[in-house]
Amino acid sequence: MSHTLTLKEPPAPEASEKTLRVGQRSFLRRFMSRPEMGSLLGAIVVFAVFFSVAEPFRQASSLMTVLYASSIIGIMAVGVALLMIGGEFDLSAGVAVITASLTAAILSFQLNLNVWVGAGLALALALTIGFINGLILVRTKLPSFLVTLSMFLMLQGLNIAVTKLITGKVSTDSIRNMDGFASAQMVFSSSVPIPGLGVSVRITVLWWLLFAALATWVLMRTKVGNWIYAVGGNAESARAVGVPVARVKIGLFMTVGFFAWFSGMHLLMASGVQQSGEGVGNELLYIMAAVVGGCLLTGGYGTVIGAVIGALIYGMTKQGIVYAGWDNNWIMFFVGAMLLLAVVVNMWVRNQTSKR
Amino acid sequence: MNHIRKLTIALAGAASLVMVASACSSEGGRQDTAAELDTPELTIAMITHEVPGDSFWDKVRAGAEAAAAKSNVNLEYSSDPEAAKQATLIQTAIDKKVDGIAVTLAKPDALQGAIDKAVEAGIPVVGLNSGIEQWEEAGLTQYFGTDESVAGEAFGEKLTEVQAQKALCVIHEQGHVGLETRCSSLADTFDGDTDTLYVDGASMPDVKSSITSKLQEDKDVDYVVTLGAPYAMGALDAVDDAGSDAKVATFDTNEDLVGAIEDGHVQWAVDQQPYLQGYLAVDGLWLYNANGNVSGGGKPVLTGPSFIDQSNIDQIKVFAEKGTR
């Protein structure tokens, strides 16, 4: 009975049903139901809070500092968001940044290479780390938590041990006066003056926006983008319709590897040396940025724009608290509370707008 | 008329009550005392590489707060152990157009860009605690701290004096130039062997268990040298756990440690007087702003090393109990 009913129903009301639905859900509501809209609202709230309480927050130069702090987390969050939409996450991302930076610095210095050659070798290593993460994951079918946690700890140890072994210190030798450093610094760690405003924007901010735009285009307009959503949503059905699940996942881990390399190059070119013990804990900030931006921990849902906004919320909060002069002892509490607030607002907006 | 007088008295009474109440609630705060001062109000940012929750930095900050309160200074303290993030904090201080910046140079290379910008913006920058080798070159006007190599050498001599055989130098913050220097300078003047151990200073269980394992593995160690007071207390537990006879001596002090020195559990502490570092850094910036004074005559202003052991613990104890030594 019901079968025949449901089978019979579609043809006739299809057109009117569609117009009906569009009519019922207003433009605003459809707009608001996008994954990143909740976080955009959160960002506006956070911005408003600091704009009203912290006087220095209102200057253009302060805004540039906020954008810079956001971009450091944000560049990685682009890769991490892609990976998360694909249904996985990467705990080794924080120390992988330092691994890339250390590799470039040590190889360039010890082998007397042009800095760009060292950077190229570091890129190869960063991609390899991503490849290994992905390969182990698809071969063993272990959860990404276990695979990447192991990688995180191994890299943490390697960073310190290998650096100490080769340089005899816990930091690398300076590569500041080596060939190629100046040009690498231009690319990875320079400032671009903004005409008319009298301030400069750090180049990482521009790279960040470029990467985000590129990743959004891939997600929204290409076959690979569809694959990523499909793999994150339901890997089995994706495989059934011919999506190369293993290749997509490995590719996503390598993408994170690429961004880790890029972030590492920024750190290295900013000062010319790299401390081996840094980076621990940042992986959670990348994941947080993606989640605040509307990516689901379970995969298949979210946008890169959301992760960009998530990183911006983090940057605004972290620096805004300093601009506001709030007690330093409380800083991580405030950061946590703000992020929680952003996630809750995000969820609330999603629930409200998915209702009819 | 009477009515009005009564009302006035009542109002005055209420007002004075409010004043008393607010006076009570703001005890220890700096705003109220600052309001009584007629010197121009300054904003000074202190940006350190503190690992959150270390008692050493609490004392640096206490000294800085005390100097700020005395001089109508609005002190803005912030910190991040990661060099790049510390540099960003310096940038935020520049954005706020503060009147002075006090900064620790644990990782000088990574901070140089930000310091240059502060200097360009005409903000005086002083150093404290770490960076004695680099502060002048980095463009800072004054420096308040200990010469880590002098302190390390003094420590090594003391070890030789008590006829120690093998010292284990415990570094609680990877890549911190000052801590590395302490250990290497100690090794220079110490006649016995030295070994270095890295531990995670943000996790006391890790500190303890790492030292325990090391002592179990290497029975020759007869002196455990920690580079911060809390780690000395951890080391005492570790020595117990390992069933070792090693003695513990340390850099830096805190209230706990005073008791341990009094009881003879910890042999001695080399003190760099963190309270003084925080105090002088703020005061130095204040003097520079108010009167153009520069302390040190182009040389660092040394706040240590001074030895604390059973011979002088009674004097220092009084201040340690107030949390200022």
Side-chain angles (χ1 to χ4, degrees), chain A residues 240-290:
Chain A
V241 294
V243 175
V245 173
R247 269 167 53 201
V248 170
K249 292 212 166 179
I250 293 175
L252 286 173
F253 275 106
M254 289 175 74
T255 308
V256 173
F258 169 80
F259 285 113
W261 168 78
F262 189 91
S263 307
M265 289 311 102
H266 166 68
L267 283 185
L268 179 60
M269 302 315 164
S271 65
V273 295
Q274 179 61 52
Q275 309 286 338
S276 57
E278 299 196 335
V280 177
N282 286 350
E283 62 282 344
L284 296 178
L285 296 179
Y286 311 143
I287 292 172
M288 194 72 202

Short mmCIF file of all heavy atoms in Angstrom, two decimals, chain A residues 240-290:
data_model
loop_
_atom_site.label_atom_id
_atom_site.label_comp_id
_atom_site.label_asym_id
_atom_site.label_seq_id
_atom_site.Cartn_x
_atom_site.Cartn_y
_atom_site.Cartn_z
N ALA A 240 31.52 2.07 -3.27
CA ALA A 240 30.57 1.33 -4.12
C ALA A 240 30.29 2.08 -5.42
O ALA A 240 30.05 1.45 -6.45
CB ALA A 240 29.27 1.09 -3.35
N VAL A 241 30.32 3.41 -5.38
CA VAL A 241 30.05 4.13 -6.62
C VAL A 241 31.34 4.52 -7.33
O VAL A 241 31.35 5.37 -8.22
CB VAL A 241 29.20 5.41 -6.37
CG1 VAL A 241 27.81 5.01 -5.89
CG2 VAL A 241 29.87 6.35 -5.41
N GLY A 242 32.46 3.91 -6.93
CA GLY A 242 33.68 4.05 -7.70
C GLY A 242 34.62 5.16 -7.27
O GLY A 242 35.52 5.53 -8.01
N VAL A 243 34.42 5.71 -6.08
CA VAL A 243 35.36 6.72 -5.60
C VAL A 243 36.62 6.02 -5.06
O VAL A 243 36.50 5.07 -4.28
CB VAL A 243 34.72 7.56 -4.47
CG1 VAL A 243 35.74 8.52 -3.87
CG2 VAL A 243 33.51 8.30 -4.98
N PRO A 244 37.82 6.45 -5.47
CA PRO A 244 39.05 5.81 -4.97
C PRO A 244 39.32 6.25 -3.53
O PRO A 244 40.12 7.17 -3.29
CB PRO A 244 40.12 6.31 -5.93
CG PRO A 244 39.60 7.60 -6.45
CD PRO A 244 38.11 7.53 -6.41
N VAL A 245 38.67 5.59 -2.58
CA VAL A 245 38.68 6.04 -1.18
C VAL A 245 40.11 6.13 -0.63
O VAL A 245 40.50 7.15 -0.03
CB VAL A 245 37.84 5.08 -0.30
CG1 VAL A 245 37.98 5.44 1.17
CG2 VAL A 245 36.39 5.15 -0.73
N ALA A 246 40.91 5.09 -0.86
CA ALA A 246 42.26 5.07 -0.29
C ALA A 246 43.08 6.23 -0.82
O ALA A 246 43.76 6.93 -0.06
CB ALA A 246 42.94 3.74 -0.62
N ARG A 247 42.98 6.47 -2.14
CA ARG A 247 43.78 7.53 -2.74
C ARG A 247 43.35 8.90 -2.22
O ARG A 247 44.18 9.78 -1.96
CB ARG A 247 43.69 7.48 -4.26
CG ARG A 247 44.79 6.61 -4.86
CD ARG A 247 44.52 6.30 -6.32
NE ARG A 247 44.26 7.51 -7.10
CZ ARG A 247 43.61 7.49 -8.27
NH1 ARG A 247 43.17 6.36 -8.76
NH2 ARG A 247 43.43 8.61 -8.93
N VAL A 248 42.04 9.07 -2.04
CA VAL A 248 41.55 10.36 -1.52
C VAL A 248 42.10 10.60 -0.12
O VAL A 248 42.60 11.69 0.21
CB VAL A 248 40.01 10.40 -1.53
CG1 VAL A 248 39.51 11.62 -0.78
CG2 VAL A 248 39.51 10.43 -2.97
N LYS A 249 42.02 9.56 0.73
CA LYS A 249 42.47 9.75 2.11
C LYS A 249 43.96 10.02 2.19
O LYS A 249 44.41 10.93 2.90
CB LYS A 249 42.11 8.52 2.96
CG LYS A 249 40.62 8.39 3.14
CD LYS A 249 40.21 7.77 4.46
CE LYS A 249 38.70 8.02 4.64
NZ LYS A 249 38.14 7.47 5.84
N ILE A 250 44.74 9.23 1.45
CA ILE A 250 46.19 9.46 1.45
C ILE A 250 46.50 10.86 0.93
O ILE A 250 47.32 11.59 1.49
CB ILE A 250 46.91 8.37 0.62
CG1 ILE A 250 46.77 7.02 1.30
CG2 ILE A 250 48.38 8.73 0.43
CD1 ILE A 250 47.32 5.85 0.51
N GLY A 251 45.78 11.25 -0.12
CA GLY A 251 45.98 12.58 -0.69
C GLY A 251 45.69 13.67 0.33
O GLY A 251 46.40 14.68 0.40
N LEU A 252 44.65 13.48 1.14
CA LEU A 252 44.30 14.49 2.13
C LEU A 252 45.37 14.60 3.21
O LEU A 252 45.73 15.70 3.63
CB LEU A 252 42.95 14.15 2.77
CG LEU A 252 41.73 14.40 1.89
CD1 LEU A 252 40.47 13.86 2.54
CD2 LEU A 252 41.58 15.89 1.59
N PHE A 253 45.90 13.47 3.65
CA PHE A 253 46.99 13.51 4.63
C PHE A 253 48.22 14.21 4.04
O PHE A 253 48.92 14.96 4.73
CB PHE A 253 47.37 12.11 5.10
CG PHE A 253 46.51 11.61 6.24
CD1 PHE A 253 45.54 10.65 6.03
CD2 PHE A 253 46.69 12.12 7.52
CE1 PHE A 253 44.74 10.21 7.08
CE2 PHE A 253 45.90 11.67 8.57
CZ PHE A 253 44.92 10.72 8.35
N MET A 254 48.45 13.99 2.74
CA MET A 254 49.59 14.65 2.10
C MET A 254 49.33 16.15 1.97
O MET A 254 50.27 16.96 2.05
CB MET A 254 49.87 14.02 0.74
CG MET A 254 50.47 12.62 0.88
SD MET A 254 50.69 11.76 -0.68
CE MET A 254 52.11 12.62 -1.34
N THR A 255 48.06 16.51 1.79
CA THR A 255 47.73 17.93 1.75
C THR A 255 48.06 18.60 3.08
O THR A 255 48.64 19.69 3.13
CB THR A 255 46.22 18.11 1.44
OG1 THR A 255 45.91 17.36 0.27
CG2 THR A 255 45.87 19.56 1.23
N VAL A 256 47.70 17.93 4.17
CA VAL A 256 48.05 18.45 5.49
C VAL A 256 49.58 18.55 5.59
O VAL A 256 50.11 19.54 6.11
CB VAL A 256 47.49 17.55 6.62
CG1 VAL A 256 48.01 18.00 7.98
CG2 VAL A 256 45.98 17.56 6.60
N GLY A 257 50.27 17.54 5.05
CA GLY A 257 51.73 17.57 5.04
C GLY A 257 52.26 18.80 4.31
O GLY A 257 53.18 19.47 4.78
N PHE A 258 51.62 19.12 3.18
CA PHE A 258 52.04 20.30 2.43
C PHE A 258 51.88 21.57 3.27
O PHE A 258 52.80 22.40 3.37
CB PHE A 258 51.23 20.45 1.14
CG PHE A 258 51.43 21.78 0.47
CD1 PHE A 258 52.55 22.02 -0.30
CD2 PHE A 258 50.52 22.83 0.67
CE1 PHE A 258 52.76 23.27 -0.90
CE2 PHE A 258 50.73 24.08 0.09
CZ PHE A 258 51.85 24.29 -0.69
N PHE A 259 50.74 21.71 3.93
CA PHE A 259 50.51 22.92 4.72
C PHE A 259 51.45 22.97 5.93
O PHE A 259 51.88 24.04 6.35
CB PHE A 259 49.05 23.02 5.14
CG PHE A 259 48.14 23.43 4.02
CD1 PHE A 259 47.20 22.57 3.51
CD2 PHE A 259 48.27 24.68 3.44
CE1 PHE A 259 46.38 22.95 2.46
CE2 PHE A 259 47.45 25.08 2.40
CZ PHE A 259 46.50 24.20 1.90
N ALA A 260 51.75 21.78 6.50
CA ALA A 260 52.70 21.74 7.61
C ALA A 260 54.06 22.25 7.14
O ALA A 260 54.74 23.02 7.82
CB ALA A 260 52.83 20.32 8.15
N TRP A 261 54.44 21.83 5.93
CA TRP A 261 55.70 22.30 5.36
C TRP A 261 55.67 23.80 5.20
O TRP A 261 56.60 24.51 5.59
CB TRP A 261 55.93 21.63 4.00
CG TRP A 261 57.04 22.25 3.22
CD1 TRP A 261 58.38 22.05 3.43
CD2 TRP A 261 56.92 23.16 2.13
NE1 TRP A 261 59.10 22.80 2.53
CE2 TRP A 261 58.22 23.50 1.73
CE3 TRP A 261 55.85 23.73 1.47
CZ2 TRP A 261 58.49 24.38 0.68
CZ3 TRP A 261 56.09 24.60 0.42
CH2 TRP A 261 57.40 24.93 0.04
N PHE A 262 54.56 24.30 4.65
CA PHE A 262 54.47 25.74 4.40
C PHE A 262 54.59 26.52 5.71
O PHE A 262 55.35 27.49 5.82
CB PHE A 262 53.16 26.08 3.69
CG PHE A 262 53.12 27.49 3.22
CD1 PHE A 262 53.55 27.82 1.94
CD2 PHE A 262 52.69 28.51 4.06
CE1 PHE A 262 53.56 29.14 1.52
CE2 PHE A 262 52.70 29.83 3.64
CZ PHE A 262 53.14 30.14 2.37
N SER A 263 53.86 26.07 6.73
CA SER A 263 53.91 26.76 8.02
C SER A 263 55.31 26.68 8.61
O SER A 263 55.80 27.64 9.21
CB SER A 263 52.91 26.13 9.00
OG SER A 263 51.63 26.08 8.43
N GLY A 264 55.94 25.52 8.45
CA GLY A 264 57.31 25.35 8.95
C GLY A 264 58.27 26.30 8.26
O GLY A 264 59.15 26.89 8.90
N MET A 265 58.09 26.48 6.95
CA MET A 265 58.97 27.40 6.23
C MET A 265 58.76 28.83 6.73
O MET A 265 59.71 29.61 6.84
CB MET A 265 58.69 27.34 4.72
CG MET A 265 59.13 26.06 4.04
SD MET A 265 60.82 25.59 4.43
CE MET A 265 60.53 24.32 5.63
N HIS A 266 57.53 29.16 7.07
CA HIS A 266 57.31 30.51 7.61
C HIS A 266 58.07 30.70 8.93
O HIS A 266 58.77 31.68 9.11
CB HIS A 266 55.82 30.77 7.84
CG HIS A 266 55.59 31.98 8.69
ND1 HIS A 266 55.89 33.25 8.25
CD2 HIS A 266 55.20 32.12 9.98
CE1 HIS A 266 55.65 34.13 9.21
NE2 HIS A 266 55.24 33.46 10.27
N LEU A 267 57.94 29.71 9.81
CA LEU A 267 58.63 29.81 11.11
C LEU A 267 60.13 29.95 10.92
O LEU A 267 60.79 30.77 11.55
CB LEU A 267 58.37 28.55 11.95
CG LEU A 267 57.02 28.43 12.64
CD1 LEU A 267 57.01 27.18 13.50
CD2 LEU A 267 56.75 29.66 13.48
N LEU A 268 60.67 29.13 10.02
CA LEU A 268 62.11 29.12 9.81
C LEU A 268 62.59 30.43 9.19
O LEU A 268 63.58 31.02 9.64
CB LEU A 268 62.49 27.93 8.92
CG LEU A 268 63.98 27.80 8.60
CD1 LEU A 268 64.78 27.62 9.87
CD2 LEU A 268 64.21 26.62 7.67
N MET A 269 61.89 30.89 8.17
CA MET A 269 62.35 32.09 7.46
C MET A 269 62.14 33.35 8.30
O MET A 269 62.74 34.38 8.05
CB MET A 269 61.64 32.24 6.11
CG MET A 269 61.83 31.06 5.18
SD MET A 269 63.53 30.44 5.10
CE MET A 269 63.28 28.84 4.35
N ALA A 270 61.27 33.27 9.30
CA ALA A 270 61.06 34.44 10.15
C ALA A 270 62.30 34.75 10.97
O ALA A 270 62.61 35.91 11.22
CB ALA A 270 59.86 34.20 11.07
N SER A 271 63.04 33.71 11.38
CA SER A 271 64.18 33.98 12.26
C SER A 271 65.48 33.33 11.79
O SER A 271 66.55 33.73 12.21
CB SER A 271 63.87 33.50 13.68
OG SER A 271 63.73 32.10 13.70
N GLY A 272 65.41 32.32 10.95
CA GLY A 272 66.63 31.66 10.48
C GLY A 272 67.08 30.51 11.35
O GLY A 272 68.00 29.78 10.98
N VAL A 273 66.45 30.34 12.51
CA VAL A 273 66.75 29.17 13.34
C VAL A 273 65.44 28.54 13.79
O VAL A 273 64.39 29.17 13.73
CB VAL A 273 67.57 29.52 14.61
CG1 VAL A 273 68.94 30.03 14.26
CG2 VAL A 273 66.84 30.52 15.47
N GLN A 274 65.51 27.30 14.23
CA GLN A 274 64.31 26.63 14.72
C GLN A 274 64.63 25.87 16.01
O GLN A 274 65.61 25.14 16.06
CB GLN A 274 63.76 25.67 13.66
CG GLN A 274 62.53 24.92 14.09
CD GLN A 274 61.37 25.86 14.40
OE1 GLN A 274 61.01 26.71 13.60
NE2 GLN A 274 60.80 25.74 15.58
N GLN A 275 63.81 26.07 17.03
CA GLN A 275 63.93 25.30 18.27
C GLN A 275 63.24 23.96 18.06
O GLN A 275 62.19 23.91 17.43
CB GLN A 275 63.26 26.04 19.43
CG GLN A 275 63.67 27.48 19.59
CD GLN A 275 65.06 27.63 20.17
OE1 GLN A 275 65.57 26.72 20.82
NE2 GLN A 275 65.69 28.76 19.93
N SER A 276 63.84 22.91 18.62
CA SER A 276 63.32 21.58 18.29
C SER A 276 62.10 21.16 19.11
O SER A 276 61.39 20.25 18.73
CB SER A 276 64.42 20.55 18.46
OG SER A 276 64.94 20.60 19.78
N GLY A 277 61.86 21.80 20.24
CA GLY A 277 60.79 21.31 21.13
C GLY A 277 59.44 21.94 20.92
O GLY A 277 58.50 21.66 21.65
N GLU A 278 59.30 22.79 19.92
CA GLU A 278 58.06 23.55 19.78
C GLU A 278 56.99 22.78 19.01
O GLU A 278 57.23 21.69 18.53
CB GLU A 278 58.36 24.89 19.11
CG GLU A 278 59.31 25.73 19.93
CD GLU A 278 59.34 27.19 19.53
OE1 GLU A 278 59.02 27.50 18.38
OE2 GLU A 278 59.68 28.02 20.40
N GLY A 279 55.82 23.39 18.92
CA GLY A 279 54.75 22.85 18.08
C GLY A 279 53.76 21.96 18.78
O GLY A 279 52.65 21.78 18.29
N VAL A 280 54.14 21.41 19.94
CA VAL A 280 53.24 20.49 20.64
C VAL A 280 51.98 21.24 21.09
O VAL A 280 52.08 22.31 21.67
CB VAL A 280 53.94 19.87 21.86
CG1 VAL A 280 52.99 18.97 22.63
CG2 VAL A 280 55.16 19.10 21.42
N GLY A 281 50.83 20.68 20.82
CA GLY A 281 49.58 21.29 21.25
C GLY A 281 48.90 22.08 20.15
O GLY A 281 47.69 22.30 20.20
N ASN A 282 49.66 22.52 19.17
CA ASN A 282 49.05 23.32 18.09
C ASN A 282 48.08 22.51 17.26
O ASN A 282 47.12 23.05 16.72
CB ASN A 282 50.13 23.91 17.19
CG ASN A 282 50.85 25.06 17.85
OD1 ASN A 282 50.44 25.54 18.91
ND2 ASN A 282 51.93 25.50 17.26
N GLU A 283 48.32 21.17 17.15
CA GLU A 283 47.43 20.34 16.35
C GLU A 283 45.98 20.47 16.83
O GLU A 283 45.05 20.46 16.03
CB GLU A 283 47.88 18.87 16.38
CG GLU A 283 47.88 18.19 17.74
CD GLU A 283 49.08 18.57 18.59
OE1 GLU A 283 50.05 19.10 18.03
OE2 GLU A 283 49.05 18.35 19.82
N LEU A 284 45.81 20.63 18.14
CA LEU A 284 44.45 20.75 18.67
C LEU A 284 43.84 22.08 18.28
O LEU A 284 42.63 22.19 18.10
CB LEU A 284 44.47 20.58 20.20
CG LEU A 284 44.92 19.19 20.66
CD1 LEU A 284 44.94 19.12 22.17
CD2 LEU A 284 44.00 18.12 20.10
N LEU A 285 44.68 23.12 18.17
CA LEU A 285 44.17 24.42 17.75
C LEU A 285 43.68 24.36 16.30
O LEU A 285 42.65 24.95 15.96
CB LEU A 285 45.25 25.49 17.89
CG LEU A 285 45.73 25.77 19.31
CD1 LEU A 285 46.83 26.83 19.30
CD2 LEU A 285 44.58 26.21 20.19
N TYR A 286 44.40 23.63 15.44
CA TYR A 286 43.97 23.50 14.05
C TYR A 286 42.61 22.79 13.99
O TYR A 286 41.70 23.22 13.27
CB TYR A 286 44.97 22.69 13.21
CG TYR A 286 46.42 23.12 13.34
CD1 TYR A 286 47.44 22.18 13.33
CD2 TYR A 286 46.74 24.46 13.46
CE1 TYR A 286 48.77 22.56 13.44
CE2 TYR A 286 48.07 24.86 13.57
CZ TYR A 286 49.08 23.89 13.56
OH TYR A 286 50.38 24.27 13.68
N ILE A 287 42.51 21.71 14.77
CA ILE A 287 41.26 20.95 14.78
C ILE A 287 40.13 21.83 15.32
O ILE A 287 39.03 21.88 14.79
CB ILE A 287 41.42 19.66 15.61
CG1 ILE A 287 42.38 18.71 14.89
CG2 ILE A 287 40.08 18.99 15.84
CD1 ILE A 287 42.77 17.48 15.70
N MET A 288 40.46 22.59 16.38
CA MET A 288 39.47 23.48 16.98
C MET A 288 38.98 24.50 15.96
O MET A 288 37.77 24.75 15.87
CB MET A 288 40.14 24.20 18.16
CG MET A 288 39.17 24.90 19.07
SD MET A 288 38.23 23.71 20.03
CE MET A 288 36.81 24.70 20.47
N ALA A 289 39.91 25.07 15.20
CA ALA A 289 39.51 26.07 14.21
C ALA A 289 38.52 25.47 13.22
O ALA A 289 37.51 26.08 12.88
CB ALA A 289 40.74 26.62 13.48
N ALA A 290 38.80 24.24 12.77
CA ALA A 290 37.92 23.58 11.81
C ALA A 290 36.56 23.30 12.43
O ALA A 290 35.52 23.52 11.79
CB ALA A 290 38.57 22.30 11.30
#
